[in-house]
Amino acid sequence: MLKIETHTHADRTLHMTVEVPEERVRPALQAAARQISKRYPVAGFRPGKAPYEHVVRQFGERAVYEAAIDELGQKVYAEALDQEKIEAYGPGSLEDMQLKPMVLKFTVPLKPEVDLGDYRALRLPYTAPVIADEEVQRVLDTLRERQAVLEPVERPAAPGDVAILDINAFLNEGLNPSDFLMTDKDVSVQLDAQADWPMPGFAAQVTGIAAGETRKFDLAFADDYANESLRGQTAHFEVVCKEVKSRTLPEWNDDLAKEVGDFQTLDELRARVRSDLEKQASRAADREYADKVLEQLVGQSTITFPPVLLEQEVDDLLADLDNRLREQRLTLDDYLKIEKKTREALREEYKPRAEARLKRALVLGRVVELDQLEVQPHEVVGEIDRMSVALGEQAGQMRTYLNSDRARQSLTLDLLTNKAVERLVAIAKGEASSAAADASAPAEAQPETAPADPERAPSA
C-alpha cells in the first residue's frame, strides 16, 4: 500500500502526495543508472555496466532520481488513483519531488461540476423572419443583371457602360515598391456612380473615356476608409481604356425566367426566390436563436472545471490558428512576429474565447446527460452518407475516412451536440413535451463525456 494524502480544491483539482516505499525506489534507481550509462559513456566501463556509485558521482544523484521517475512515477500515479478510487478527468502533472524518502506530489484534474439550475423552465421568445417584397426584388434584379447584353460601341464610355481597362495605382504619385497599390489588366468596370471598386469615385473619373485613351488622376481615401493604413492618403491612378461596351438589361418576362433557370413563368421564379430566401433567413434565425438560448443557459449555470481544461482549449484554438496560417504559407511564429506579440500574450488573448467555448461544451454535455440523449448507429451512417454524397467523385474516399473509428466517434459527438442544442431550443420555445422532461430527470449525475485515461502518465 502506498502512503497517500489528498486534498481537493474548489477549482476541481486534487493535490495528491504519495510516499514511495524504499523497496520500490532502490530497483528503480538501479535501472535508471543502467539506462544513463548506456546512453552516456562512463570512463572505464562498457555501456550499461557502470556501477551505480560511479553513475551518481558523474551525473549527480538528482539526475538518477529524475530518470527513475520517468517510469516509476507513471506506475505510482496509476496505483495511487486506483488505491484512492480517484476518477481523473485528464492527465495529471507531477508538481514536485522529494528524494529521501521519495515523495511525489501530483495535481489531478477532476470532473467538472455543472449545475444548470432549472433549465427546463428556460424560455426565450422566437420571432420567425419575414421576407419583404423588396428583398425578393433585389434578388430578381441581380439575376436580371447577370443576363445583361454587352455590345462593343465606338464612342466614349457613358454611365452604365462597361469599360475594359488596364489599371495601375500608387500612393502619393510614387513608383517605389512600398507605394504600389494595384495593377490589373483587361478588367471590366461598370460605370456606376455607386460602385466602390477599386475605390469610391473611380467610376466617375473614367466616365467619358474612349478606347485607346489614357487617363491619370488622383483620389483621396476617406478618413473612415475600412483599411486604416490608407485613411487620408492619396491614390494616383494611371488608366488605359481597351474597349467600351454598352450594357442593356432585358425586360422581365416569362422568357427571361426560362433563361435564368428551369422555370416556366416569372411568377414561378419569383416564388422560388421567395422560398429560398425564407429558408436562408430561417436557418440564420435558428442559429442566432440557438446561440442566444445557449448563452442564456451558460449565464444561469454554475460551472466549475480544472484549469488544465482551459489550457487545453487554448491549445486547440491556437492549433486551429496555426492550421489556417499554414494554408496561407505562414507559421504561428511568423504571425507572432507580424503582430509583435509573445506566445504567452497570445494565449492570454485567446483565453476568454476558449473559456466561453469550454463552458458551452460542458453545458451541452450536461444536457446530454440529464436528458439521456443518444445517437443510434443508423444516424451515424446517415450522416456519413450525407457528407459523402456532397463530394461527388471523391465520395468513396470520404466514406472510407468517415468510417474510421476516430471519425465515427467525432461524428457521434457532433450529432449529440446537435441533439442537445435542438433540445434546448425546443425547451426555450415551450415545445418540449413535459413527459419527455419528466422521463429525463435522473438528477445528480455528473457528465461522463470522454474522461481521459486515469492511468495516463502525469506530465512532469
Side-chain angles (χ1 to χ4, degrees):
M1 294 282 290
L2 297 170
K3 184 178 179 181
I4 303 171
E5 293 182 3
T6 62
H7 180 69
T8 302
H9 295 266
D11 64 356
R12 301 302 294 153
T13 58
L14 178 140
H15 286 173
M16 181 171 65
T17 302
V18 184
E19 182 174 335
V20 185
E22 178 64 23
E23 60 268 22
R24 296 191 60 180
V25 174
R26 176 53 56 180
L29 293 175
Q30 295 285 352
R34 285 194 296 273
Q35 290 300 316
I36 290 175
S37 68
K38 281 183 180 180
R39 292 195 300 267
Y40 306 101
V42 177
F45 300 94
R46 288 179 295 152
K49 299 299 183 179
Y52 177 82
E53 293 74 15
H54 283 70
V55 175
V56 169
R57 188 179 305 119
Q58 181 167 331
F59 299 99
E61 187 176 48
R62 188 168 188 86
V64 178
Y65 268 82
E66 289 177 350
I69 290 300
D70 287 344
E71 181 174 350
L72 181 61
Q74 298 178 31
K75 295 179 179 179
V76 167
Y77 178 75
E79 289 176 22
L81 293 181
D82 183 63
Q83 180 177 314
E84 297 296 306
K85 302 297 188 289
I86 297 170
E87 187 174 359
Y89 197 74
S93 58
L94 177 62
E95 302 295 340
D96 196 10
M97 174 180 69
Q98 176 184 305
L99 300 187
K100 297 178 181 179
M102 180 179 284
V103 178
L104 306 179
K105 296 182 179 181
F106 300 99
T107 295
V108 185
L110 302 177
K111 292 181 181 179
E113 290 183 342
V114 182
D115 181 359
L116 302 180
D118 187 9
Y119 76 99
R120 295 190 181 99
L122 178 65
R123 295 294 183 272
L124 198 66
Y126 176 82
T127 302
V130 177
I131 301 301
D133 292 342
E134 292 77 10
E135 295 179 70
V136 175
Q137 190 58 48
R138 275 196 292 271
V139 174
L140 290 174
D141 288 343
T142 299
L143 295 173
R144 183 185 178 212
E145 294 275 348
R146 294 174 183 170
Q147 302 299 316
V149 178
L150 301 180
E151 296 180 317
V153 293
E154 299 294 333
R155 59 168 173 76
D161 285 346
V162 172
I164 312 302
L165 307 173
D166 288 349
I167 306 173
N168 288 287
F170 304 87
L171 284 177
N172 309 316
E173 299 189 27
L175 294 178
N176 296 324
S178 60
D179 296 324
F180 173 76
L181 277 179
M182 66 172 291
T183 182
D184 218 333
K185 294 185 178 298
D186 297 321
V187 60
S188 297
V189 178
Q190 184 181 351
L191 304 188
D192 182 349
Q194 304 303 316
D196 58 3
W197 188 90
M199 65 180 292
F202 180 87
Q205 290 290 335
V206 296
T207 297
I209 197 170
E213 181 181 347
T214 298
R215 286 192 180 182
K216 299 180 181 181
F217 54 88
D218 295 338
L219 289 173
F221 290 97
D223 291 337
D224 60 352
Y225 191 69
N227 187 333
E228 294 183 12
S229 66
L230 295 176
R231 291 177 181 176
Q233 296 206 58
T234 299
H236 177 69
F237 284 90
E238 297 179 2
V239 178
V240 178
C241 181
K242 298 290 195 62
E243 189 178 8
V244 176
K245 295 181 179 181
S246 66
R247 186 172 180 275
T248 305
L249 291 176
E251 293 297 326
W252 265 123
N253 52 38
D254 292 345
D255 289 336
L256 182 57
K258 294 176 183 178
E259 290 289 333
V260 168
D262 187 19
F263 306 99
Q264 295 303 310
T265 66
L266 176 56
D267 287 342
E268 186 180 334
L269 170 59
R270 182 177 283 108
R272 173 67 67 82
V273 168
R274 179 177 292 279
S275 175
D276 289 346
L277 287 175
E278 287 173 345
K279 290 177 182 177
Q280 294 171 14
S282 292
R283 286 194 293 267
D286 289 347
R287 286 194 298 269
E288 183 179 356
Y289 181 77
D291 285 342
K292 288 181 179 179
V293 170
L294 186 52
E295 181 180 358
Q296 184 166 320
L297 181 56
V298 169
Q300 77 176 41
S301 301
T302 302
I303 308 168
T304 310
F305 52 85
V308 67
L309 291 190
L310 179 58
E311 295 302 322
Q312 291 171 356
E313 199 70 30
V314 174
D315 290 341
D316 290 343
L317 286 176
L318 293 183
D320 291 341
L321 173 62
D322 189 42
N323 289 334
R324 294 196 304 272
L325 290 169
R326 290 184 185 280
E327 290 175 359
Q328 304 172 38
R329 297 184 179 180
L330 293 172
T331 66
L332 190 56
D333 288 335
D334 295 331
Y335 174 79
L336 291 172
K337 290 178 182 178
I338 293 170
E339 295 294 320
K340 297 179 180 178
K341 294 178 181 177
T342 63
R343 193 173 290 264
E344 292 72 22
L346 186 63
R347 292 187 67 85
E348 288 300 316
E349 180 182 316
Y350 269 68
K351 273 188 178 179
R353 192 187 316 176
E355 183 173 2
R357 195 168 82 159
L358 176 59
K359 286 182 175 180
R360 287 166 65 100
L362 291 174
V363 162
L364 289 172
R366 185 67 171 139
V367 172
V368 168
E369 175 74 16
L370 290 176
D371 281 61
Q372 301 178 5
L373 303 178
E374 296 179 346
V375 172
Q376 302 301 325
H378 74 270
E379 295 177 279
V380 177
V381 172
E383 185 67 5
I384 291 174
D385 290 341
R386 185 191 67 80
M387 296 177 67
S388 300
V389 168
L391 292 177
E393 295 180 356
Q394 297 180 334
Q397 294 178 349
M398 176 57 72
R399 194 181 300 276
T400 299
Y401 166 73
L402 292 176
N403 271 301
S404 66
D405 290 342
R406 173 174 288 187
R408 290 178 71 92
Q409 182 182 23
S410 178
L411 287 176
T412 300
L413 291 175
D414 288 344
L415 290 171
L416 267 179
T417 297
N418 292 340
K419 287 193 174 190
V421 172
E422 290 169 2
R423 174 67 177 153
L424 289 176
V425 166
I427 289 172
K429 288 183 177 180
E431 298 173 352
S433 67
S434 58
D438 293 340
S440 61
E444 298 301 324
Q446 286 298 309
E448 301 287 343
T449 307
D453 185 349
E455 297 190 5
R456 181 173 170 180
S459 56

